[in-house]
Amino acid sequence: MEIKVIVGDIAQIEADAIVVNLFEGVEQPGGATAAVDKALDGAISSLISRGEIKGKFGEVNIVHTFGKLPAGIVAIAGLGKRQDFSVDKIRGVAGEFCRALRKLNCHKIATIVHGAGIGGIELEASAEAIAEGALLGLYSFTKYKKPEYEDIEEMRIVVREKEKVPILELAIGKGKLVASATNAARDMINEPANYMTPSQMAEAAKEIASKYNLEFKVFDREDMEAMGMEALLGVAKGSNQPPKLITLSYKGDERSEKALGFLGKGITFDSGGISIKASEGMGAMKDDMAGAAAVMTALGAIAQLKPKINVTAIIPATENLPSGTALKPGDVLKAINGKTIEVISTDAEGRLILADALSYAQKLGLSPIIDLATLTGACRVALGTLYSGVFGNDQDLIDKILKAAEKTGERMWQMPMPEEYKEQNKSEIADVKNTGNRYGGAITAALFLAEFVANTPWVHIDIAGTASSTKESGYIIKGATGIGVRTLIELALSEAKNQEAI
Ligand code: BES
Ligand code: MN
Ligand code: ZN
């Protein structure tokens, strides 16, 4: 879909549909909605008084114009309660009205800038959110099945302020870029595991690298053996697919040796291994590389936005399968930082591959380190499917991430890391074991990871609950959400700004 800004009067636009809006509880529409209402001889206000149009968040009401306006359809997008309004609500509204109009076979649509007037949100922030929300909300994974609806070809964002056009175009450009990176991650995650193997992940990373001029490296089994990555290799033992350790580096600040580290869990399929999972719903475990996909496509976006900062992504990628050569409960592995790990469950494989990846990140001198992982079902139990769990050893860094997340609408919640629970990861025969007891599983997993980060500022984001959705709502669609991409991009941008200020 092409998105552009034009100067004009929404009521006069020729299109298949024009979009205006309404806050919940407003009886008499104002602004552009009032102008369109007038042209329709009060149709909108009479539907409001009949209680048919309520302005509830996410609702899209359709009014046909029958020649009263150049556009065939007027869509009234519900903005919800004014006191709850936010930039993220605009993303959601854009996703909703775009999907509604696509269903109605609209190819050319035009919208006002929602919330910019009475909503009190800056024009450019709203335009960016409309572009981002529209592209995210219209996403579908169409590689193996024809899409249900035809695409909307063009969305015009209509403003009155001529002088604002250049800045709005910039804002829309950013929204588009960030949404494309998120959709690229969704594509990778939605790919079935028979296609998205570790080797294919490495191919995808290579493509991103050559497209956006990033440094790309891939380490094979032999390289990992030479580096002593027993934990990662241990998980890979059960599979015939060769494991890959992939790195992508963006250099935006030539004068600095420092670099941020983004790590992503890249289990392309998690059967549980010998500690095999129940078969029901096991297919969803193709999503277990959602963290890996997110850090990769975030790096692609960062390379286009060019912040003055260096970022390196590390992706440990392997399948977790049972076989005659598979890792077994009771086995002991040594990570590259020298710590030994007793494997209690082969299904707690994420923390094993991350143990080596985290140690490797420190070897490279990356700081701070942020890892993104579909790590524990326990995190989904604790926080549900809307909030990712945030853990870390540095409150400053945690606060920065929560702030970046807040800005992007990716909901995150800090979780505690009490010393006392460390007890649960103690092993009789090794330095640590890879599972705790029944309770607080997301926390004991984070405490396990902490064993492999020493003093480097580090944050772990558990996205097991948020990486995919079974519901369509706002700019979230069914399947992979691409969670984390937007927060990581935002963090890189804000860190670059911070460093400039110092
Ligand atoms: N990939 C799973 C976690 C997961 C669960 C992600 C549900 C998305 C949805 C992870 O590797 C896993 O199997 N974790 C175990 C840990 C347990 C064995 C300590 C879990 O959560 O059950
Ligand atoms: Mn597992
Ligand atoms: Zn897993």
Side-chain angles (χ1 to χ4, degrees), residues 16 35 38 53 75 85 106 146 162 215 221 227 254 261 281 332 343 355 362 382 405 410 432 443:
D16 296 322
K38 200 167 159 218
I53 302 180
F85 196 62
C106 295
K146 251 185 52 194
K162 193 164 176 226
E215 188 189 294
R221 199 190 298 268
M227 290 192 272
E254 291 292 345
V332 174
V343 177
Q362 284 158 105
E410 294 190 324
V432 278
I443 299 172

Side-chain angles (χ1 to χ4, degrees), residues 93-110:
V93 163
E96 292 289 352
F97 73 68
C98 279
R99 274 198 307 277
L101 294 174
R102 179 174 64 184
K103 270 191 196 155
L104 294 175
N105 222 10
C106 295
H107 294 124
K108 290 190 193 315
I109 66 172

